Amino acid sequence: MEIIIAKNYDEMSRISAEIIAAEVRKNHDLTLGLATGDTPVGTYKELVKLYKEEGLDFSKITTFNLDEYVGLAPLHENSYNYFMKENLFNHVNINPSRVYVPQGNTNDPEIFCEWYENKIKEAGGIDLQILGIGRDGHIAFNEPGSSFASRTRVKALYKETIEDNARFFKKEEDVPRFAITMGIGTILEARKILLIANGKKKADVCAKFIEGPVTSMITASALQLHCHATVVLDEEAASMLTRTEYYNWVRDNKKLVQKKIGR
Ligand code: F6R
């Protein structure tokens, strides 16, 4: 895992947007996996800026969102579909026919999940998957105890996740108890992974998933099994890591090594 520590949320957002933009520039047909939540809002703002100021071209990319609440229609203001339109899709030249977000109000979640997995395969797999992390260590909605082999399915949300997400709803009772989510197995098949996290409340879980043992109790620790995972944290989220000096040294000297080998 490559660990990049940014000064603050804004720098984390700029660095992560630049990592995504570099992949889009390299591969116009990129298949991009997307996350919702507070964390990537700044990253999406930066991507919109790159589209408006530099003409970063999203017209040929395909996107797959990680998850969606069961029971919420795409137009519901708390749906992740709505979130994506508000924060990214409505502001860049993305082709709506290449955008996939799990359908929360499907009549048959099981068939839908199988269809979603097939769509990802048909698109040639995910090239770069963006992730946030929950306080309980979840990635997408793979709550503690999720199998590392899991695929897209319906998952019951953990108490902590419901509490955390209540801020988006009028009251906690309104937070759906279930979500359709890509599995850990689905996520680990992405060619590259970029996880972003900020704030003190993520410090403990970031130290655990980066420097602790691989365990399904912290599903983000599965990223230790991935050969191309990058983590961008702000200083607060990185504050409980024990090897900060090493990560910073690697980051600063990476350019030097690349220069030496002529990249
Ligand atoms: C959302 C998702 C979740 C969030 C996580 C962190 O699509 O997959 O795993 O990334 O719950 O949420 P925030 O960013 O709101 O702290």
Side-chain angles (χ1 to χ4, degrees):
M1 256 192 278
E2 183 182 5
I3 314 295
I4 300 174
I5 301 168
K7 271 195 187 52
N8 50 34
Y9 179 79
D10 289 347
E11 195 181 63
M12 178 205 79
S13 304
R14 273 196 301 278
I15 294 172
S16 52
E18 207 28 72
I19 292 172
I20 300 166
E23 295 297 322
V24 175
R25 287 186 199 109
K26 253 196 293 185
N27 176 7
H28 293 287
D29 299 339
L30 191 82
T31 301
L32 186 59
L34 296 169
T36 57
D38 277 341
T39 316
V41 170
T43 306
Y44 295 151
K45 267 197 190 121
E46 290 294 327
L47 287 176
V48 172
K49 207 162 138 196
L50 288 171
Y51 163 70
K52 289 191 172 146
E53 291 176 5
E54 291 177 27
L56 184 67
D57 184 15
F58 293 89
S59 64
K60 291 196 178 62
I61 72 161
T62 302
T63 65
F64 286 93
N65 263 81
L66 286 167
D67 39 24
E68 178 62 283
Y69 290 117
V70 167
L72 299 196
L75 291 177
H76 191 288
E77 59 173 10
N78 287 122
S79 76
Y80 284 167
N81 204 307
Y82 187 89
F83 171 98
M84 287 311 303
K85 285 190 182 129
E86 288 285 293
N87 287 284
L88 184 67
F89 299 155
N90 286 349
H91 310 288
V92 295
N93 66 338
I94 209 152
N95 179 345
S97 70
R98 289 174 185 266
V99 161
Y100 297 90
V101 181
Q103 196 188 327
N105 61 348
T106 173
N107 288 329
D108 195 330
E110 210 171 304
I111 292 196
F112 177 83
C113 293
E114 213 180 301
W115 176 86
Y116 203 68
E117 286 275 335
N118 283 331
K119 277 286 160 196
I120 295 174
K121 274 196 200 100
E122 276 170 30
I126 292 171
D127 293 306
L128 174 64
Q129 176 65 57
I130 318 303
L131 297 173
I133 182 170
R135 268 195 308 143
D136 65 3
H138 69 227
I139 45 174
F141 276 132
N142 293 288
E143 297 288 33
S146 296
S147 161
F148 282 4
S150 54
R151 313 298 310 188
T152 304
R153 69 210 183 289
V154 173
K155 190 77 194 162
L157 303 185
Y158 198 57
K159 200 173 93 315
E160 231 170 43
T161 305
I162 292 169
E163 279 164 22
D164 283 350
N165 289 357
R167 66 191 190 279
F168 299 112
F169 293 80
K170 283 199 186 90
K171 45 188 190 323
E172 198 173 308
E173 293 73 65
D174 294 343
V175 184
R177 264 42 187 170
F178 296 92
I180 292 177
T181 178
M182 278 189 206
I184 302 289
T186 321
I187 293 169
L188 288 179
E189 277 173 15
R191 289 177 192 93
K192 290 183 184 175
I193 293 179
L194 169 64
L195 185 147
I196 54 179
N198 69 289
K200 268 220 156 63
K201 63 177 196 285
K202 299 284 174 73
D204 179 54
V205 80
C206 284
K208 284 184 177 144
F209 95 86
I210 294 168
E211 296 180 343
V214 173
T215 166
S216 67
M217 287 296 119
I218 311 248
T219 56
S221 68
L223 298 197
Q224 292 182 29
L225 306 172
H226 196 276
C227 63
H228 211 305
T230 304
V231 180
V232 185
L233 307 171
D234 74 350
E235 275 177 2
E236 286 188 349
S239 59
M240 287 172 79
L241 293 174
T242 59
R243 296 166 171 257
T244 319
E245 222 174 281
Y246 173 74
Y247 306 133
N248 290 339
W249 187 90
V250 172
R251 183 191 171 180
D252 294 344
N253 288 277
K254 200 176 146 193
K255 283 186 203 108
L256 214 88
V257 175
Q258 281 168 343
K259 238 187 235 160
K260 275 203 179 124
I261 59 174
R263 279 207 201 149

